[in-house]
Amino acid sequence: MRAPLIVIEGLDRTGKTTQTLRLLSHLNNEGIKNHLIKFPERTTPIGELINQYLTNKRLELSDQSAHLLFSANRWEFQSEIVDLLIKNQTVVVLDRYVYSGVAYSSAKGLDFQWCLSPDIGMPKPDAVIFLQSRDSTATAKREGFGKERYEIESFQNKVRAQFEKFEKDSNWHNIYVDGKSIEQVEREIWEVAEQYITGVQDKLDRFQRKQ
Ligand code: Z5A
Ligand code: MG
């Protein structure tokens, strides 16, 4: 038995980082062991290169190379995620994951299936909570938008269309954020996450005692 893997995905500035931190507080309040990883994780050598690519528009990489770097950055954490879920029985919350990788690169014109392939073998999430916005002009006005390479409204619309291809997956949950307060979105995320989490600590404890 493994602990749940929960991913918060979404378009730019829809509140992913704000909400992953709030989800962690809920888990702490419930006494559930948890761990957060944010992708891209910019502190590793590969992550530093990604950071340069995102923040320094003079650093040019082919779209394929950039895509593979984002995937390699996730592979740097593959064994850590597996150990957390299986050995440590810890709920793992991810701020962006494979879905961002595929959506941003395929929005640039790379083949969707090709984009999926380097992440084959990464752990599959139990739930993907996708923060969706019908109105990218509203989220584009939020603090920080426009500082990095992909933060251009017309590109965000292409990214949205690619993300929507995952909507039919059974573990996918859309939450619309337009006009909602941080607290309202937090409540809606918890309603979804709770289904995967309620009673999980008891089950994990019982499972560990049996081992
Ligand atoms: N990328 C990729 O191409 N391939 C990959 O494989 C991966 C990523 C993993 C950087 O990602 C870029 O990398 C990203 C995708 C690409 N493209 N771009 N650009 P990142 O995750 O590091 O990006 P970020 O800098 O953290 O931005 P973000 O994730 O888009 O923002 P956010 O986490 O969704 O939003 P936030 O930081 O929580 O909130 C933004 C502001 O809005 C902040 O002032 C909040 O207080 C405010 N906020 C939040 N919620 C609300 C509500 N409900 N109402 C009003 N204001 C709110
Ligand atoms: Mg963020």
Side-chain angles (χ1 to χ4, degrees):
M1 186 181 179
R2 68 166 224 195
L5 174 60
I6 300 197
V7 174
I8 305 284
E9 273 286 5
L11 297 166
D12 277 42
R13 305 289 146 180
T14 44
K16 296 174 295 299
T17 299
T18 306
Q19 295 297 342
T20 45
L21 295 174
R22 286 177 177 235
L23 180 55
L24 251 59
S25 302
H26 273 279
L27 294 171
N28 288 334
N29 292 342
E30 298 285 321
I32 296 170
K33 283 197 288 182
N34 61 76
H35 186 86
L36 168 67
I37 302 176
K38 179 184 183 318
F39 289 118
E41 171 45 69
R42 302 185 192 218
T43 58
T44 67
I46 293 172
E48 280 175 21
L49 199 52
I50 291 173
N51 186 47
Q52 278 178 42
Y53 172 70
L54 287 170
T55 56
N56 170 0
K57 289 175 186 151
R58 282 169 306 175
L59 174 65
E60 285 309 326
L61 292 171
S62 74
D63 293 341
Q64 290 83 348
S65 311
H67 181 74
L68 294 173
L69 278 181
F70 278 107
S71 175
N73 186 228
R74 286 185 283 278
W75 278 102
E76 291 185 282
F77 290 87
Q78 187 262 359
S79 59
E80 182 181 335
I81 297 172
V82 169
D83 283 355
L84 281 161
L85 295 173
I86 297 175
K87 282 198 198 142
N88 302 344
Q89 305 280 302
T90 296
V91 175
V92 178
V93 177
L94 302 179
D95 179 349
R96 292 196 190 269
Y97 196 40
V98 178
Y99 310 92
S100 282
V102 175
Y104 283 80
S105 295
S106 59
K108 292 175 176 173
L110 298 184
D111 179 75
F112 191 86
Q113 289 305 323
W114 182 87
C115 291
L116 272 171
S117 51
D119 283 281
I120 291 172
M122 287 296 294
K124 191 171 159 44
D126 296 276
V128 184
I129 300 174
F130 180 66
L131 304 186
Q132 171 69 293
S133 167
R134 287 189 185 90
D135 178 12
S136 44
T137 51
T139 45
K141 287 192 190 108
R142 289 187 182 169
E143 200 187 314
F145 187 87
K147 291 195 181 136
E148 292 195 342
R149 180 176 289 265
Y150 298 145
E151 293 176 343
I152 300 161
E153 253 178 84
S154 55
F155 184 64
Q156 291 297 310
N157 290 330
K158 290 189 185 160
V159 174
R160 178 194 288 106
Q162 298 303 322
F163 267 126
E164 283 171 358
K165 294 184 181 167
F166 291 109
E167 275 182 1
K168 55 186 182 323
D169 292 2
S170 58
N171 60 356
W172 192 268
H173 303 266
N174 265 336
I175 291 183
Y176 284 90
V177 300
D178 303 303
K180 292 180 185 164
S181 66
I182 291 177
E183 291 70 26
Q184 172 69 27
V185 177
E186 178 185 351
R187 278 193 293 278
E188 292 186 27
I189 290 179
W190 183 245
E191 272 170 32
V192 174
E194 199 173 30
Q195 301 165 32
Y196 296 88
I197 281 159
T198 305
V200 81
Q201 194 67 64
D202 285 349
K203 280 189 211 149
L204 292 171
D205 289 345
R206 276 202 301 278
F207 178 76
Q208 253 182 346
R209 280 198 296 273
K210 272 198 233 152
Q211 298 303 296

